[in-house]
Amino acid sequence: MATDNESYLELFDVSKKKQVGKAPLASIRFIPRIGERIFLPLDRPGHWHSYTVVSVEYFLGNRSPSEGMDRVTLYVEESK
């Protein structure tokens, strides 16, 4: 999980209106585009929860780069 003072990417489920994932932005290799799917691991190896990206927002802080606080939010819904 990302700490409060570092840049991060979050997944926000629009139907449940809650955050379903969060990771440091530095650990993300690429950011999915609208319409692409994301798989999050569940309780056991080999079990995944699938989400589809419906919107992307980039939040850039007014602070110095050393303080971080940039955020990317992927708004997702459960894949069918």
PDB file of all heavy atoms in Angstrom, residues 19-57:
ATOM      1  N   GLN A  19     -13.057   2.650  -2.601  1.00  0.00           N
ATOM      2  CA  GLN A  19     -11.743   2.298  -3.135  1.00  0.00           C
ATOM      3  C   GLN A  19     -11.545   0.792  -3.014  1.00  0.00           C
ATOM      4  O   GLN A  19     -11.808   0.213  -1.955  1.00  0.00           O
ATOM      5  CB  GLN A  19     -10.672   3.047  -2.351  1.00  0.00           C
ATOM      6  CG  GLN A  19      -9.281   2.843  -2.877  1.00  0.00           C
ATOM      7  CD  GLN A  19      -8.263   3.523  -2.006  1.00  0.00           C
ATOM      8  OE1 GLN A  19      -8.102   3.152  -0.852  1.00  0.00           O
ATOM      9  NE2 GLN A  19      -7.601   4.530  -2.559  1.00  0.00           N
ATOM     10  N   VAL A  20     -11.097   0.160  -4.103  1.00  0.00           N
ATOM     11  CA  VAL A  20     -10.872  -1.288  -4.091  1.00  0.00           C
ATOM     12  C   VAL A  20      -9.401  -1.649  -4.255  1.00  0.00           C
ATOM     13  O   VAL A  20      -9.040  -2.816  -4.157  1.00  0.00           O
ATOM     14  CB  VAL A  20     -11.718  -2.017  -5.165  1.00  0.00           C
ATOM     15  CG1 VAL A  20     -13.193  -1.916  -4.832  1.00  0.00           C
ATOM     16  CG2 VAL A  20     -11.434  -1.487  -6.552  1.00  0.00           C
ATOM     17  N   GLY A  21      -8.548  -0.658  -4.503  1.00  0.00           N
ATOM     18  CA  GLY A  21      -7.124  -0.923  -4.641  1.00  0.00           C
ATOM     19  C   GLY A  21      -6.323   0.353  -4.592  1.00  0.00           C
ATOM     20  O   GLY A  21      -6.812   1.421  -4.951  1.00  0.00           O
ATOM     21  N   LYS A  22      -5.072   0.226  -4.129  1.00  0.00           N
ATOM     22  CA  LYS A  22      -4.176   1.381  -4.055  1.00  0.00           C
ATOM     23  C   LYS A  22      -2.749   0.866  -4.088  1.00  0.00           C
ATOM     24  O   LYS A  22      -2.429  -0.120  -3.422  1.00  0.00           O
ATOM     25  CB  LYS A  22      -4.436   2.150  -2.753  1.00  0.00           C
ATOM     26  CG  LYS A  22      -3.613   3.403  -2.588  1.00  0.00           C
ATOM     27  CD  LYS A  22      -4.030   4.114  -1.317  1.00  0.00           C
ATOM     28  CE  LYS A  22      -3.214   5.365  -1.095  1.00  0.00           C
ATOM     29  NZ  LYS A  22      -3.629   6.073   0.129  1.00  0.00           N
ATOM     30  N   ALA A  23      -1.893   1.516  -4.881  1.00  0.00           N
ATOM     31  CA  ALA A  23      -0.492   1.114  -4.984  1.00  0.00           C
ATOM     32  C   ALA A  23       0.373   2.340  -5.271  1.00  0.00           C
ATOM     33  O   ALA A  23      -0.092   3.302  -5.886  1.00  0.00           O
ATOM     34  CB  ALA A  23      -0.322   0.096  -6.109  1.00  0.00           C
ATOM     35  N   PRO A  24       1.644   2.311  -4.845  1.00  0.00           N
ATOM     36  CA  PRO A  24       2.548   3.419  -5.151  1.00  0.00           C
ATOM     37  C   PRO A  24       2.672   3.578  -6.669  1.00  0.00           C
ATOM     38  O   PRO A  24       2.824   2.595  -7.399  1.00  0.00           O
ATOM     39  CB  PRO A  24       3.883   2.988  -4.554  1.00  0.00           C
ATOM     40  CG  PRO A  24       3.563   1.904  -3.593  1.00  0.00           C
ATOM     41  CD  PRO A  24       2.307   1.254  -4.076  1.00  0.00           C
ATOM     42  N   LEU A  25       2.607   4.791  -7.136  1.00  0.00           N
ATOM     43  CA  LEU A  25       2.685   5.073  -8.569  1.00  0.00           C
ATOM     44  C   LEU A  25       4.021   4.598  -9.152  1.00  0.00           C
ATOM     45  O   LEU A  25       4.079   4.139 -10.284  1.00  0.00           O
ATOM     46  CB  LEU A  25       2.478   6.566  -8.816  1.00  0.00           C
ATOM     47  CG  LEU A  25       2.073   7.007 -10.197  1.00  0.00           C
ATOM     48  CD1 LEU A  25       0.858   6.236 -10.717  1.00  0.00           C
ATOM     49  CD2 LEU A  25       1.782   8.489 -10.224  1.00  0.00           C
ATOM     50  N   ALA A  26       5.066   4.638  -8.359  1.00  0.00           N
ATOM     51  CA  ALA A  26       6.386   4.213  -8.834  1.00  0.00           C
ATOM     52  C   ALA A  26       6.433   2.714  -9.153  1.00  0.00           C
ATOM     53  O   ALA A  26       7.264   2.275  -9.942  1.00  0.00           O
ATOM     54  CB  ALA A  26       7.444   4.551  -7.792  1.00  0.00           C
ATOM     55  N   SER A  27       5.533   1.936  -8.574  1.00  0.00           N
ATOM     56  CA  SER A  27       5.541   0.488  -8.821  1.00  0.00           C
ATOM     57  C   SER A  27       4.671   0.081 -10.007  1.00  0.00           C
ATOM     58  O   SER A  27       4.642  -1.086 -10.372  1.00  0.00           O
ATOM     59  CB  SER A  27       5.075  -0.259  -7.568  1.00  0.00           C
ATOM     60  OG  SER A  27       3.695  -0.034  -7.350  1.00  0.00           O
ATOM     61  N   ILE A  28       3.992   1.029 -10.632  1.00  0.00           N
ATOM     62  CA  ILE A  28       3.087   0.744 -11.739  1.00  0.00           C
ATOM     63  C   ILE A  28       3.860   0.880 -13.052  1.00  0.00           C
ATOM     64  O   ILE A  28       4.459   1.918 -13.329  1.00  0.00           O
ATOM     65  CB  ILE A  28       1.878   1.717 -11.749  1.00  0.00           C
ATOM     66  CG1 ILE A  28       1.154   1.689 -10.398  1.00  0.00           C
ATOM     67  CG2 ILE A  28       0.940   1.417 -12.891  1.00  0.00           C
ATOM     68  CD1 ILE A  28       0.571   0.358 -10.022  1.00  0.00           C
ATOM     69  N   ARG A  29       3.846  -0.165 -13.871  1.00  0.00           N
ATOM     70  CA  ARG A  29       4.592  -0.139 -15.143  1.00  0.00           C
ATOM     71  C   ARG A  29       3.829   0.595 -16.239  1.00  0.00           C
ATOM     72  O   ARG A  29       4.428   1.242 -17.081  1.00  0.00           O
ATOM     73  CB  ARG A  29       4.897  -1.550 -15.594  1.00  0.00           C
ATOM     74  CG  ARG A  29       5.888  -2.222 -14.706  1.00  0.00           C
ATOM     75  CD  ARG A  29       6.227  -3.560 -15.235  1.00  0.00           C
ATOM     76  NE  ARG A  29       7.172  -4.200 -14.341  1.00  0.00           N
ATOM     77  CZ  ARG A  29       7.822  -5.272 -14.639  1.00  0.00           C
ATOM     78  NH1 ARG A  29       7.647  -5.869 -15.791  1.00  0.00           N
ATOM     79  NH2 ARG A  29       8.656  -5.799 -13.778  1.00  0.00           N
ATOM     80  N   PHE A  30       2.523   0.426 -16.270  1.00  0.00           N
ATOM     81  CA  PHE A  30       1.705   1.160 -17.242  1.00  0.00           C
ATOM     82  C   PHE A  30       0.328   1.379 -16.646  1.00  0.00           C
ATOM     83  O   PHE A  30      -0.091   0.648 -15.749  1.00  0.00           O
ATOM     84  CB  PHE A  30       1.604   0.429 -18.581  1.00  0.00           C
ATOM     85  CG  PHE A  30       0.868  -0.883 -18.491  1.00  0.00           C
ATOM     86  CD1 PHE A  30      -0.489  -0.942 -18.736  1.00  0.00           C
ATOM     87  CD2 PHE A  30       1.539  -2.050 -18.165  1.00  0.00           C
ATOM     88  CE1 PHE A  30      -1.174  -2.147 -18.647  1.00  0.00           C
ATOM     89  CE2 PHE A  30       0.857  -3.252 -18.067  1.00  0.00           C
ATOM     90  CZ  PHE A  30      -0.494  -3.297 -18.310  1.00  0.00           C
ATOM     91  N   ILE A  31      -0.357   2.406 -17.143  1.00  0.00           N
ATOM     92  CA  ILE A  31      -1.693   2.728 -16.655  1.00  0.00           C
ATOM     93  C   ILE A  31      -2.706   2.276 -17.704  1.00  0.00           C
ATOM     94  O   ILE A  31      -2.626   2.694 -18.858  1.00  0.00           O
ATOM     95  CB  ILE A  31      -1.827   4.235 -16.381  1.00  0.00           C
ATOM     96  CG1 ILE A  31      -0.838   4.626 -15.267  1.00  0.00           C
ATOM     97  CG2 ILE A  31      -3.262   4.593 -16.004  1.00  0.00           C
ATOM     98  CD1 ILE A  31      -0.768   6.094 -14.974  1.00  0.00           C
ATOM     99  N   PRO A  32      -3.648   1.418 -17.310  1.00  0.00           N
ATOM    100  CA  PRO A  32      -4.648   0.937 -18.261  1.00  0.00           C
ATOM    101  C   PRO A  32      -5.508   2.072 -18.807  1.00  0.00           C
ATOM    102  O   PRO A  32      -5.736   3.078 -18.126  1.00  0.00           O
ATOM    103  CB  PRO A  32      -5.504  -0.027 -17.438  1.00  0.00           C
ATOM    104  CG  PRO A  32      -4.687  -0.345 -16.239  1.00  0.00           C
ATOM    105  CD  PRO A  32      -3.804   0.830 -15.999  1.00  0.00           C
ATOM    106  N   ARG A  33      -5.970   1.891 -20.016  1.00  0.00           N
ATOM    107  CA  ARG A  33      -6.841   2.878 -20.658  1.00  0.00           C
ATOM    108  C   ARG A  33      -8.306   2.500 -20.442  1.00  0.00           C
ATOM    109  O   ARG A  33      -8.617   1.383 -20.031  1.00  0.00           O
ATOM    110  CB  ARG A  33      -6.543   2.950 -22.147  1.00  0.00           C
ATOM    111  CG  ARG A  33      -5.136   3.451 -22.438  1.00  0.00           C
ATOM    112  CD  ARG A  33      -4.848   3.412 -23.889  1.00  0.00           C
ATOM    113  NE  ARG A  33      -4.754   1.996 -24.295  1.00  0.00           N
ATOM    114  CZ  ARG A  33      -4.187   1.562 -25.378  1.00  0.00           C
ATOM    115  NH1 ARG A  33      -3.652   2.418 -26.214  1.00  0.00           N
ATOM    116  NH2 ARG A  33      -4.133   0.289 -25.671  1.00  0.00           N
ATOM    117  N   ILE A  34      -9.185   3.415 -20.766  1.00  0.00           N
ATOM    118  CA  ILE A  34     -10.622   3.159 -20.666  1.00  0.00           C
ATOM    119  C   ILE A  34     -10.972   1.954 -21.526  1.00  0.00           C
ATOM    120  O   ILE A  34     -10.517   1.826 -22.657  1.00  0.00           O
ATOM    121  CB  ILE A  34     -11.419   4.406 -21.105  1.00  0.00           C
ATOM    122  CG1 ILE A  34     -11.162   5.541 -20.123  1.00  0.00           C
ATOM    123  CG2 ILE A  34     -12.907   4.091 -21.205  1.00  0.00           C
ATOM    124  CD1 ILE A  34     -11.726   6.870 -20.543  1.00  0.00           C
ATOM    125  N   GLY A  35     -11.755   1.043 -20.958  1.00  0.00           N
ATOM    126  CA  GLY A  35     -12.172  -0.168 -21.645  1.00  0.00           C
ATOM    127  C   GLY A  35     -11.292  -1.368 -21.367  1.00  0.00           C
ATOM    128  O   GLY A  35     -11.697  -2.503 -21.612  1.00  0.00           O
ATOM    129  N   GLU A  36     -10.092  -1.148 -20.843  1.00  0.00           N
ATOM    130  CA  GLU A  36      -9.213  -2.267 -20.526  1.00  0.00           C
ATOM    131  C   GLU A  36      -9.578  -2.852 -19.164  1.00  0.00           C
ATOM    132  O   GLU A  36     -10.172  -2.186 -18.320  1.00  0.00           O
ATOM    133  CB  GLU A  36      -7.746  -1.826 -20.544  1.00  0.00           C
ATOM    134  CG  GLU A  36      -7.269  -1.475 -21.930  1.00  0.00           C
ATOM    135  CD  GLU A  36      -5.804  -1.139 -21.985  1.00  0.00           C
ATOM    136  OE1 GLU A  36      -5.234  -0.622 -21.003  1.00  0.00           O
ATOM    137  OE2 GLU A  36      -5.217  -1.392 -23.047  1.00  0.00           O
ATOM    138  N   ARG A  37      -9.201  -4.122 -18.972  1.00  0.00           N
ATOM    139  CA  ARG A  37      -9.511  -4.817 -17.738  1.00  0.00           C
ATOM    140  C   ARG A  37      -8.306  -4.871 -16.813  1.00  0.00           C
ATOM    141  O   ARG A  37      -7.163  -4.890 -17.255  1.00  0.00           O
ATOM    142  CB  ARG A  37      -9.993  -6.227 -18.044  1.00  0.00           C
ATOM    143  CG  ARG A  37     -11.345  -6.216 -18.714  1.00  0.00           C
ATOM    144  CD  ARG A  37     -11.775  -7.552 -19.225  1.00  0.00           C
ATOM    145  NE  ARG A  37     -11.871  -8.532 -18.145  1.00  0.00           N
ATOM    146  CZ  ARG A  37     -12.170  -9.799 -18.347  1.00  0.00           C
ATOM    147  NH1 ARG A  37     -12.399 -10.247 -19.567  1.00  0.00           N
ATOM    148  NH2 ARG A  37     -12.239 -10.634 -17.341  1.00  0.00           N
ATOM    149  N   ILE A  38      -8.614  -4.919 -15.510  1.00  0.00           N
ATOM    150  CA  ILE A  38      -7.610  -5.042 -14.462  1.00  0.00           C
ATOM    151  C   ILE A  38      -8.001  -6.238 -13.612  1.00  0.00           C
ATOM    152  O   ILE A  38      -9.179  -6.413 -13.291  1.00  0.00           O
ATOM    153  CB  ILE A  38      -7.563  -3.777 -13.583  1.00  0.00           C
ATOM    154  CG1 ILE A  38      -7.142  -2.584 -14.405  1.00  0.00           C
ATOM    155  CG2 ILE A  38      -6.640  -3.968 -12.394  1.00  0.00           C
ATOM    156  CD1 ILE A  38      -7.233  -1.288 -13.655  1.00  0.00           C
ATOM    157  N   PHE A  39      -7.018  -7.040 -13.240  1.00  0.00           N
ATOM    158  CA  PHE A  39      -7.279  -8.192 -12.384  1.00  0.00           C
ATOM    159  C   PHE A  39      -6.594  -7.983 -11.041  1.00  0.00           C
ATOM    160  O   PHE A  39      -5.399  -7.709 -10.983  1.00  0.00           O
ATOM    161  CB  PHE A  39      -6.749  -9.477 -13.039  1.00  0.00           C
ATOM    162  CG  PHE A  39      -7.450  -9.797 -14.319  1.00  0.00           C
ATOM    163  CD1 PHE A  39      -6.952  -9.343 -15.534  1.00  0.00           C
ATOM    164  CD2 PHE A  39      -8.611 -10.544 -14.318  1.00  0.00           C
ATOM    165  CE1 PHE A  39      -7.594  -9.627 -16.723  1.00  0.00           C
ATOM    166  CE2 PHE A  39      -9.265 -10.833 -15.504  1.00  0.00           C
ATOM    167  CZ  PHE A  39      -8.760 -10.376 -16.712  1.00  0.00           C
ATOM    168  N   LEU A  40      -7.358  -8.110  -9.955  1.00  0.00           N
ATOM    169  CA  LEU A  40      -6.814  -8.000  -8.612  1.00  0.00           C
ATOM    170  C   LEU A  40      -6.850  -9.375  -7.953  1.00  0.00           C
ATOM    171  O   LEU A  40      -7.851 -10.089  -8.065  1.00  0.00           O
ATOM    172  CB  LEU A  40      -7.646  -7.022  -7.767  1.00  0.00           C
ATOM    173  CG  LEU A  40      -7.681  -5.579  -8.234  1.00  0.00           C
ATOM    174  CD1 LEU A  40      -8.573  -4.759  -7.310  1.00  0.00           C
ATOM    175  CD2 LEU A  40      -6.298  -4.988  -8.275  1.00  0.00           C
ATOM    176  N   PRO A  41      -5.791  -9.745  -7.247  1.00  0.00           N
ATOM    177  CA  PRO A  41      -5.779 -11.053  -6.593  1.00  0.00           C
ATOM    178  C   PRO A  41      -6.781 -11.098  -5.440  1.00  0.00           C
ATOM    179  O   PRO A  41      -6.959 -10.117  -4.723  1.00  0.00           O
ATOM    180  CB  PRO A  41      -4.347 -11.191  -6.087  1.00  0.00           C
ATOM    181  CG  PRO A  41      -3.847  -9.798  -5.968  1.00  0.00           C
ATOM    182  CD  PRO A  41      -4.575  -8.987  -7.004  1.00  0.00           C
ATOM    183  N   LEU A  42      -7.418 -12.255  -5.282  1.00  0.00           N
ATOM    184  CA  LEU A  42      -8.327 -12.463  -4.155  1.00  0.00           C
ATOM    185  C   LEU A  42      -7.614 -13.231  -3.056  1.00  0.00           C
ATOM    186  O   LEU A  42      -6.398 -13.162  -2.940  1.00  0.00           O
ATOM    187  CB  LEU A  42      -9.584 -13.197  -4.626  1.00  0.00           C
ATOM    188  CG  LEU A  42     -10.505 -12.371  -5.531  1.00  0.00           C
ATOM    189  CD1 LEU A  42     -11.674 -13.219  -6.017  1.00  0.00           C
ATOM    190  CD2 LEU A  42     -11.039 -11.155  -4.796  1.00  0.00           C
ATOM    191  N   ASP A  43      -8.327 -13.996  -2.289  1.00  0.00           N
ATOM    192  CA  ASP A  43      -7.785 -14.665  -1.117  1.00  0.00           C
ATOM    193  C   ASP A  43      -6.838 -15.824  -1.401  1.00  0.00           C
ATOM    194  O   ASP A  43      -5.991 -16.141  -0.595  1.00  0.00           O
ATOM    195  CB  ASP A  43      -8.934 -15.156  -0.235  1.00  0.00           C
ATOM    196  CG  ASP A  43      -9.919 -16.015  -1.018  1.00  0.00           C
ATOM    197  OD1 ASP A  43      -9.787 -16.120  -2.241  1.00  0.00           O
ATOM    198  OD2 ASP A  43     -10.829 -16.581  -0.387  1.00  0.00           O
ATOM    199  N   ARG A  44      -6.959 -16.472  -2.576  1.00  0.00           N
ATOM    200  CA  ARG A  44      -6.117 -17.631  -2.879  1.00  0.00           C
ATOM    201  C   ARG A  44      -5.385 -17.419  -4.202  1.00  0.00           C
ATOM    202  O   ARG A  44      -5.901 -16.749  -5.085  1.00  0.00           O
ATOM    203  CB  ARG A  44      -6.978 -18.884  -3.004  1.00  0.00           C
ATOM    204  CG  ARG A  44      -7.707 -19.238  -1.727  1.00  0.00           C
ATOM    205  CD  ARG A  44      -8.560 -20.452  -1.963  1.00  0.00           C
ATOM    206  NE  ARG A  44      -9.516 -20.160  -3.032  1.00  0.00           N
ATOM    207  CZ  ARG A  44     -10.629 -20.817  -3.242  1.00  0.00           C
ATOM    208  NH1 ARG A  44     -10.949 -21.827  -2.476  1.00  0.00           N
ATOM    209  NH2 ARG A  44     -11.436 -20.497  -4.231  1.00  0.00           N
ATOM    210  N   PRO A  45      -4.210 -18.033  -4.349  1.00  0.00           N
ATOM    211  CA  PRO A  45      -3.516 -17.943  -5.640  1.00  0.00           C
ATOM    212  C   PRO A  45      -4.389 -18.513  -6.758  1.00  0.00           C
ATOM    213  O   PRO A  45      -5.059 -19.522  -6.584  1.00  0.00           O
ATOM    214  CB  PRO A  45      -2.267 -18.804  -5.426  1.00  0.00           C
ATOM    215  CG  PRO A  45      -2.066 -18.847  -3.950  1.00  0.00           C
ATOM    216  CD  PRO A  45      -3.445 -18.771  -3.342  1.00  0.00           C
ATOM    217  N   GLY A  46      -4.397 -17.850  -7.877  1.00  0.00           N
ATOM    218  CA  GLY A  46      -5.183 -18.301  -9.017  1.00  0.00           C
ATOM    219  C   GLY A  46      -6.598 -17.762  -9.058  1.00  0.00           C
ATOM    220  O   GLY A  46      -7.306 -17.970 -10.039  1.00  0.00           O
ATOM    221  N   HIS A  47      -7.038 -17.083  -8.009  1.00  0.00           N
ATOM    222  CA  HIS A  47      -8.362 -16.470  -7.992  1.00  0.00           C
ATOM    223  C   HIS A  47      -8.215 -14.960  -8.150  1.00  0.00           C
ATOM    224  O   HIS A  47      -7.486 -14.321  -7.399  1.00  0.00           O
ATOM    225  CB  HIS A  47      -9.100 -16.789  -6.687  1.00  0.00           C
ATOM    226  CG  HIS A  47      -9.545 -18.202  -6.624  1.00  0.00           C
ATOM    227  ND1 HIS A  47      -8.924 -19.122  -5.820  1.00  0.00           N
ATOM    228  CD2 HIS A  47     -10.525 -18.853  -7.280  1.00  0.00           C
ATOM    229  CE1 HIS A  47      -9.506 -20.287  -5.969  1.00  0.00           C
ATOM    230  NE2 HIS A  47     -10.484 -20.157  -6.850  1.00  0.00           N
ATOM    231  N   TRP A  48      -8.910 -14.424  -9.129  1.00  0.00           N
ATOM    232  CA  TRP A  48      -8.774 -13.010  -9.472  1.00  0.00           C
ATOM    233  C   TRP A  48     -10.142 -12.349  -9.521  1.00  0.00           C
ATOM    234  O   TRP A  48     -11.127 -12.972  -9.868  1.00  0.00           O
ATOM    235  CB  TRP A  48      -8.101 -12.865 -10.835  1.00  0.00           C
ATOM    236  CG  TRP A  48      -6.740 -13.453 -10.868  1.00  0.00           C
ATOM    237  CD1 TRP A  48      -6.406 -14.735 -11.198  1.00  0.00           C
ATOM    238  CD2 TRP A  48      -5.534 -12.799 -10.538  1.00  0.00           C
ATOM    239  NE1 TRP A  48      -5.059 -14.916 -11.102  1.00  0.00           N
ATOM    240  CE2 TRP A  48      -4.483 -13.739 -10.701  1.00  0.00           C
ATOM    241  CE3 TRP A  48      -5.207 -11.510 -10.135  1.00  0.00           C
ATOM    242  CZ2 TRP A  48      -3.160 -13.421 -10.460  1.00  0.00           C
ATOM    243  CZ3 TRP A  48      -3.883 -11.202  -9.905  1.00  0.00           C
ATOM    244  CH2 TRP A  48      -2.883 -12.148 -10.072  1.00  0.00           C
ATOM    245  N   HIS A  49     -10.172 -11.062  -9.214  1.00  0.00           N
ATOM    246  CA  HIS A  49     -11.370 -10.252  -9.366  1.00  0.00           C
ATOM    247  C   HIS A  49     -11.118  -9.326 -10.553  1.00  0.00           C
ATOM    248  O   HIS A  49     -10.091  -8.654 -10.613  1.00  0.00           O
ATOM    249  CB  HIS A  49     -11.629  -9.442  -8.094  1.00  0.00           C
ATOM    250  CG  HIS A  49     -13.032  -9.000  -7.964  1.00  0.00           C
ATOM    251  ND1 HIS A  49     -13.976  -9.734  -7.296  1.00  0.00           N
ATOM    252  CD2 HIS A  49     -13.665  -7.921  -8.443  1.00  0.00           C
ATOM    253  CE1 HIS A  49     -15.132  -9.116  -7.348  1.00  0.00           C
ATOM    254  NE2 HIS A  49     -14.960  -8.002  -8.051  1.00  0.00           N
ATOM    255  N   SER A  50     -12.032  -9.276 -11.489  1.00  0.00           N
ATOM    256  CA  SER A  50     -11.833  -8.532 -12.729  1.00  0.00           C
ATOM    257  C   SER A  50     -12.641  -7.230 -12.729  1.00  0.00           C
ATOM    258  O   SER A  50     -13.827  -7.230 -12.407  1.00  0.00           O
ATOM    259  CB  SER A  50     -12.266  -9.409 -13.912  1.00  0.00           C
ATOM    260  OG  SER A  50     -12.170  -8.694 -15.105  1.00  0.00           O
ATOM    261  N   TYR A  51     -11.961  -6.145 -13.099  1.00  0.00           N
ATOM    262  CA  TYR A  51     -12.594  -4.829 -13.219  1.00  0.00           C
ATOM    263  C   TYR A  51     -12.302  -4.255 -14.604  1.00  0.00           C
ATOM    264  O   TYR A  51     -11.255  -4.517 -15.175  1.00  0.00           O
ATOM    265  CB  TYR A  51     -12.042  -3.850 -12.177  1.00  0.00           C
ATOM    266  CG  TYR A  51     -12.431  -4.175 -10.758  1.00  0.00           C
ATOM    267  CD1 TYR A  51     -11.586  -4.897  -9.936  1.00  0.00           C
ATOM    268  CD2 TYR A  51     -13.644  -3.754 -10.238  1.00  0.00           C
ATOM    269  CE1 TYR A  51     -11.929  -5.203  -8.637  1.00  0.00           C
ATOM    270  CE2 TYR A  51     -14.006  -4.045  -8.936  1.00  0.00           C
ATOM    271  CZ  TYR A  51     -13.142  -4.767  -8.147  1.00  0.00           C
ATOM    272  OH  TYR A  51     -13.497  -5.066  -6.856  1.00  0.00           O
ATOM    273  N   THR A  52     -13.233  -3.442 -15.099  1.00  0.00           N
ATOM    274  CA  THR A  52     -13.051  -2.730 -16.363  1.00  0.00           C
ATOM    275  C   THR A  52     -12.944  -1.241 -16.064  1.00  0.00           C
ATOM    276  O   THR A  52     -13.759  -0.689 -15.313  1.00  0.00           O
ATOM    277  CB  THR A  52     -14.235  -2.989 -17.317  1.00  0.00           C
ATOM    278  OG1 THR A  52     -14.336  -4.395 -17.543  1.00  0.00           O
ATOM    279  CG2 THR A  52     -14.036  -2.275 -18.635  1.00  0.00           C
ATOM    280  N   VAL A  53     -11.954  -0.575 -16.653  1.00  0.00           N
ATOM    281  CA  VAL A  53     -11.751   0.861 -16.448  1.00  0.00           C
ATOM    282  C   VAL A  53     -12.814   1.631 -17.232  1.00  0.00           C
ATOM    283  O   VAL A  53     -12.985   1.430 -18.427  1.00  0.00           O
ATOM    284  CB  VAL A  53     -10.338   1.292 -16.910  1.00  0.00           C
ATOM    285  CG1 VAL A  53     -10.152   2.787 -16.755  1.00  0.00           C
ATOM    286  CG2 VAL A  53      -9.271   0.529 -16.153  1.00  0.00           C
ATOM    287  N   VAL A  54     -13.535   2.520 -16.541  1.00  0.00           N
ATOM    288  CA  VAL A  54     -14.563   3.335 -17.204  1.00  0.00           C
ATOM    289  C   VAL A  54     -14.154   4.803 -17.312  1.00  0.00           C
ATOM    290  O   VAL A  54     -14.687   5.538 -18.140  1.00  0.00           O
ATOM    291  CB  VAL A  54     -15.939   3.210 -16.509  1.00  0.00           C
ATOM    292  CG1 VAL A  54     -16.472   1.798 -16.625  1.00  0.00           C
ATOM    293  CG2 VAL A  54     -15.881   3.629 -15.060  1.00  0.00           C
ATOM    294  N   SER A  55     -13.186   5.232 -16.495  1.00  0.00           N
ATOM    295  CA  SER A  55     -12.718   6.613 -16.541  1.00  0.00           C
ATOM    296  C   SER A  55     -11.372   6.706 -15.827  1.00  0.00           C
ATOM    297  O   SER A  55     -11.078   5.901 -14.947  1.00  0.00           O
ATOM    298  CB  SER A  55     -13.737   7.534 -15.857  1.00  0.00           C
ATOM    299  OG  SER A  55     -13.329   8.869 -15.946  1.00  0.00           O
ATOM    300  N   VAL A  56     -10.569   7.701 -16.218  1.00  0.00           N
ATOM    301  CA  VAL A  56      -9.261   7.920 -15.600  1.00  0.00           C
ATOM    302  C   VAL A  56      -9.138   9.397 -15.257  1.00  0.00           C
ATOM    303  O   VAL A  56      -9.488  10.255 -16.068  1.00  0.00           O
ATOM    304  CB  VAL A  56      -8.102   7.532 -16.554  1.00  0.00           C
ATOM    305  CG1 VAL A  56      -6.760   7.787 -15.904  1.00  0.00           C
ATOM    306  CG2 VAL A  56      -8.228   6.094 -17.004  1.00  0.00           C
ATOM    307  N   GLU A  57      -8.658   9.697 -14.049  1.00  0.00           N
ATOM    308  CA  GLU A  57      -8.397  11.086 -13.653  1.00  0.00           C
ATOM    309  C   GLU A  57      -6.986  11.196 -13.096  1.00  0.00           C
ATOM    310  O   GLU A  57      -6.533  10.304 -12.367  1.00  0.00           O
ATOM    311  CB  GLU A  57      -9.393  11.563 -12.601  1.00  0.00           C
ATOM    312  CG  GLU A  57     -10.776  11.807 -13.146  1.00  0.00           C
ATOM    313  CD  GLU A  57     -11.696  12.443 -12.131  1.00  0.00           C
ATOM    314  OE1 GLU A  57     -11.448  12.355 -10.920  1.00  0.00           O
ATOM    315  OE2 GLU A  57     -12.684  13.035 -12.566  1.00  0.00           O
TER     316      GLU A  57
END
